[in-house]
């Protein structure tokens, strides 16, 4: 496994999108999308981060790897017109650019039949709020990576709680993965630090654990 | 701590092994103000990397770092580090050409625009799908002709999606009515798709099992080969047109009246 994700990281860093895509598609033939996300793509991108820490690559290389990874995720994204009628919206905290994990999270929802709308990175708060108002999602998913986004993250959670009191808020990203942020959990807010935790949440939701919220 | 009279037009620092700043250049002062320790200007996300590389065990190093300006704005720089001995290091910072930043920001805004456009397209698609769905549902109205008979004219192409949309309301209408004969009128049908046809055949079979007599009228010659090939339930009767059905019905009524008269 280690060989494969390192191989993928090397394709991403070299800008070899065709090779990277072939590698991922080959793995997807025998595995679920979640396994591809968790076992290949995520470790490959962590590896890219480690290489920067080890002083072996530059931020410019990281940008290239991220752009190609984004492209691959778009191509892998499940597309079905039949949904279970539940809606979720995904966005990054204002100015946060790390969006790959969030994109994978949106695909997990899609795989379970949800209608998922990915707003991506760099959306100003007012645009996000107008989208939420229009789309009327059952679940709002927000992500942040860098630790100094904590105040902005708290602020947007507060705004969403006020403007769409009926919706469920899921908070993720590296901040949650690193610091847990369990103190933010309420009956309507859940912090989820990994794709596995999101999957767990989706399964519980399916079993009706959160029925009172819908 | 003293100001170095260096000739480099770049931020330069001399630090000790604990990163205390011993000397600094004018450019460094302009950029950071006067921090006492270099760690104060290293961005949180770069600290681990800096701890590893800004250490006497790497006598000479070049590393990319995120540095905080005095207004807390982060910028990317290459740091060239030389340890004079175990105790002191010279650090020269070369800010990265912000051209890269400009391009990255521009790309980001293009990406945001694309996302917005994509969302608008998705919304349009959803609107179009809702219109199609409504169109489909209206493509098979249930019209009661007499107490016993009802007419269901089908409109447009017979697709799987269309039959799926009409199936439920048709079954509901049949259940609520007293009709025991349903006339499916194909006069306004365009193309017949195989999976749409099979779903319709299944629906006719279900109605027939409910005890209803199913008749198909208004078939166009171009429909016939496919219908023959894919087959409707065996008890479905075919008549040429609604006119013929009405004529037959009137004849039956006349006969009945004549019999009563006799």
């Amino acid at each position: 496994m280690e060989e494969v994700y390192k191989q993928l990281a090397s394709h991403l860093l070299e800008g070899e999108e065709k090779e990277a895509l072939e590698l991922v598609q080959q793995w997807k033939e025998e595995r679920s999308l979640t396994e591809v996300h968790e076992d290949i793509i995520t470790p490959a991108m962590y590896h890219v981060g480690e290489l920067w820490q080890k002083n072996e690559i530059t931020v410019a290389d990281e940008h290239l790897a991220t752009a190609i990874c984004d492209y691959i995720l778009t191509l892998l994204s499940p597309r079905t017109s039949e949904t279970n009628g539940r809606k979720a919206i995904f966005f990054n905290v204002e100015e946060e650019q790390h969006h790959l994990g969030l994109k994978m999270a949106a695909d997990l929802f899609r795989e379970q039949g949800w209608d998922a709308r990915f707003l991506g990175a760099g959306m100003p708060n007012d645009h996000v709020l107008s989208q939420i108002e229009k789309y009327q999602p059952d679940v709002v998913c927000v992500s942040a990576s860098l630790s100094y986004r904590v105040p902005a993250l708290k602020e947007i959670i507060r705004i969403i709680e006020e403007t769409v009191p009926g919706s469920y808020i899921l908070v993720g990203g590296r901040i949650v993965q690193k610091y847990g942020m369990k103190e933010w959990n309420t009956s309507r807010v859940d912090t989820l630090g990994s794709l596995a935790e999101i999957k767990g949440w989706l399964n519980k939701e399916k079993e009706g654990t959160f029925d009172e919220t819908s | 701590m003293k100001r170095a009279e260096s000739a480099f037009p770049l931020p330069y620092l001399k630090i000790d092994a604990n990163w205390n700043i011993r000397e600094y250049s004018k450019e460094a002062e302009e950029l950071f103000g006067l921090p006492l320790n270099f760690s104060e200007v290293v961005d949180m996300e770069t600290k681990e990397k800096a701890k590893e590389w800004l250490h006497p065990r790497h006598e000479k190093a070049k590393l990319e770092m995120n540095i905080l300006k005095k207004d807390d704005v982060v910028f990317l720089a290459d740091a060239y580090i030389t340890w004079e001995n175990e105790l002191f290091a010279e650090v020269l910072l070369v800010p990265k050409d912000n051209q890269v930043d400009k391009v990255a920001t521009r790309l980001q805004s293009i990406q945001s625009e694309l996302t917005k456009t994509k969302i608008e397209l998705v919304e349009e698609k959803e609107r179009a799908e809702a219109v199609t769905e409504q169109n489909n549902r209206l493509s098979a109205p249930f019209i009661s002709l007499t107490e016993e008979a009802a007419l269901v004219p089908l409109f447009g192409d017979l697709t799987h999606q269309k039959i799926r949309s009409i199936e439920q309301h048709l079954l509901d209408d049949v259940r609520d009515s007293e009709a025991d004969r349903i006339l499916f009128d194909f006069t306004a049908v365009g193309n017949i798709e195989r999976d749409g046809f099979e779903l319709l055949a299944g629906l006719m079979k279900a109605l027939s099992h409910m005890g209803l007599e199913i008749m198909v009228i208004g078939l166009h010659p171009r429909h016939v080969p496919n219908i023959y090939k894919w087959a409707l339930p065996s008890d479905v009767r075919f008549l040429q047109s609604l006119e013929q059905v009405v004529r037959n019905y009137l004849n039956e009524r006349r006969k009945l009246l004549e019999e009563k008269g006799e």
Side-chain angles (χ1 to χ4, degrees):
Chain A
M1 197 79 82
E2 193 179 326
E3 258 173 35
V4 179
Y5 75 69
K6 285 191 173 164
Q7 176 76 50
L8 176 62
S10 133
H11 287 318
L12 296 175
L13 287 165
E14 291 299 321
E16 299 164 347
E17 76 270 9
K18 218 174 119 212
E19 288 80 355
L21 183 63
E22 271 169 21
L23 183 74
V24 171
Q25 273 173 339
Q26 212 177 320
W27 272 75
K28 198 170 175 285
E29 275 171 21
E30 291 156 30
R31 286 165 188 82
S32 71
L33 185 62
T34 320
E35 282 173 295
V36 173
H37 283 165
E38 280 181 340
D39 301 342
I40 310 295
I41 298 181
T42 309
M45 288 311 291
Y46 279 151
H47 185 60
V48 169
E50 282 161 17
L51 290 176
W52 185 79
Q53 288 285 348
K54 286 186 184 163
N55 211 19
E56 289 179 26
I57 58 165
T58 66
V59 168
D61 297 319
E62 276 191 304
H63 279 315
L64 178 64
T66 306
I68 297 180
C69 188
D70 190 350
Y71 162 77
I72 289 175
L73 287 179
T74 306
L75 293 180
L76 292 184
S77 179
R79 286 180 183 80
T80 118
S81 53
E82 292 195 5
T83 68
N84 62 13
R86 313 272 285 145
K87 291 189 283 186
I89 203 161
F90 300 79
F91 66 97
N92 265 2
V93 159
E94 227 171 5
E95 290 183 22
E96 176 63 67
Q97 304 300 342
H98 297 84
H99 65 281
L100 296 177
L102 186 70
K103 195 160 176 160
M104 292 189 232
D107 280 345
L108 281 187
F109 275 71
R110 288 194 184 105
E111 213 182 19
Q112 301 268 341
W114 285 64
D115 202 343
R117 185 161 290 184
F118 180 74
L119 301 183
M123 287 288 166
N125 278 352
D126 54 349
H127 181 77
V128 167
L129 289 172
S130 80
Q131 276 297 319
I132 291 178
E133 215 165 295
K134 248 200 260 176
Y135 189 55
Q136 294 287 316
D138 302 284
V139 175
V140 177
C141 302
V142 53
S143 166
S145 188
L146 303 176
S147 23
Y148 44 80
R149 309 258 191 248
V150 167
L153 190 53
K154 270 174 123 167
E155 177 64 5
I156 190 73
I157 294 173
R158 187 191 63 77
I159 296 175
I160 296 167
E161 276 179 320
E162 266 176 24
T163 44
V164 239
S167 70
Y168 211 92
I169 305 172
L170 299 183
V171 189
R174 205 161 61 99
I175 287 184
V176 177
Q177 188 194 33
K178 229 168 143 183
Y179 307 106
M181 297 297 181
K182 293 293 173 207
E183 67 274 20
W184 289 0
N185 288 350
T186 68
S187 62
R188 294 213 170 265
V189 179
D190 245 338
T191 50
L192 302 172
S194 66
L195 292 176
E197 280 186 40
I198 295 172
K199 218 165 181 194
W201 187 91
L202 279 167
N203 286 339
K204 274 207 253 169
E205 206 277 340
K206 216 175 183 178
E207 287 161 13
T209 313
F210 308 108
D211 264 358
E212 73 277 12
T213 67
S214 52
Chain B
M1 185 160 79
K2 66 168 185 176
R3 187 152 130 191
E5 298 307 327
S6 86
F8 319 121
L10 285 169
Y12 159 86
L13 303 162
K14 187 167 180 179
I15 59 169
D16 64 19
N18 293 320
W19 293 11
N20 292 315
I21 298 173
R22 296 306 183 99
E23 289 179 22
Y24 57 91
S25 69
K26 185 170 144 262
E27 284 74 14
E29 185 183 350
E30 282 167 6
L31 209 54
F32 314 127
L34 289 172
L36 293 175
N37 194 285
F38 186 56
S39 66
E40 292 170 42
V41 299
V42 177
D43 177 58
M44 214 187 299
E45 306 287 335
T46 302
K47 285 232 160 98
E48 285 302 310
K49 183 180 182 181
K51 267 187 208 155
E52 166 60 31
W53 290 91
L54 191 44
H55 192 278
R57 71 172 158 269
H58 302 285
E59 197 188 326
K60 267 181 185 286
K62 176 198 166 193
L63 72 147
E64 204 179 39
M65 299 176 79
N66 281 311
I67 303 282
L68 294 171
K69 281 199 245 185
K70 52 184 167 193
D71 53 5
D72 275 348
V73 171
V74 181
F75 72 96
L76 191 64
D78 280 329
Y80 292 84
I81 301 149
T82 310
W83 287 87
E84 291 172 356
N85 48 44
E86 290 281 308
L87 301 175
F88 297 105
E90 292 187 300
V91 180
L92 184 66
L93 294 174
V94 182
K96 288 251 166 164
D97 186 358
N98 65 1
Q99 205 58 34
V100 176
D101 262 3
K102 271 189 201 154
V103 174
T105 315
R106 186 76 199 106
L107 276 179
Q108 185 61 46
S109 70
I110 292 172
Q111 206 171 16
S112 298
E113 280 309 309
L114 279 177
T115 312
K116 273 187 202 166
T117 312
K118 190 185 129 204
I119 291 166
E120 281 164 16
L121 284 175
V122 169
E123 282 169 357
E124 277 309 313
K125 183 180 139 252
E126 282 170 358
R127 253 195 292 279
E129 277 171 359
V131 171
T132 312
E133 169 66 16
Q134 195 193 11
N135 223 339
N136 283 344
R137 265 185 279 122
L138 297 174
S139 298
F142 184 88
I143 305 164
S144 286
L145 294 179
T146 64
E147 268 182 15
E148 306 91 47
L151 174 70
V152 179
L154 299 169
F155 293 97
D157 295 345
L158 294 191
T159 62
H160 188 265
Q161 202 190 3
K162 181 174 284 179
I163 308 298
R164 275 284 289 274
S165 307
I166 62 173
E167 159 174 68
Q168 192 54 48
H169 86 81
L170 203 56
L171 287 171
D172 290 347
D173 286 342
V174 169
R175 200 189 48 225
D176 295 344
S177 84
E178 306 260 300
D180 47 21
R181 180 186 292 176
I182 311 277
L183 308 167
F184 283 95
D185 187 355
F186 277 57
T187 308
V189 168
N191 291 324
I192 303 179
E193 289 180 9
R194 179 159 194 167
D195 40 1
F197 178 84
E198 277 169 1
L199 200 59
L200 180 66
L203 180 64
M204 287 182 178
K205 204 170 187 176
L207 292 172
S208 156
H209 286 167
M210 284 159 69
L212 282 98
E213 187 188 349
I214 308 295
M215 297 177 86
V216 168
I217 56 177
L219 276 182
H220 190 273
R222 72 169 184 279
H223 297 143
V224 177
N226 279 347
I227 288 195
Y228 178 72
K229 197 161 64 190
W230 298 330
L232 283 173
S234 55
D235 44 4
V236 170
R237 285 176 55 205
F238 294 89
L239 279 172
Q240 203 181 359
S241 64
L242 186 59
E243 188 195 347
Q244 197 185 350
V245 176
V246 173
R247 205 173 329 122
N248 288 356
Y249 173 74
L250 290 177
N251 281 343
E252 275 172 32
R253 298 281 293 187
R254 197 168 44 232
K255 264 190 210 156
L256 268 175
L257 285 175
E258 278 169 10
E259 276 167 21
K260 271 191 187 166
E262 281 167 13

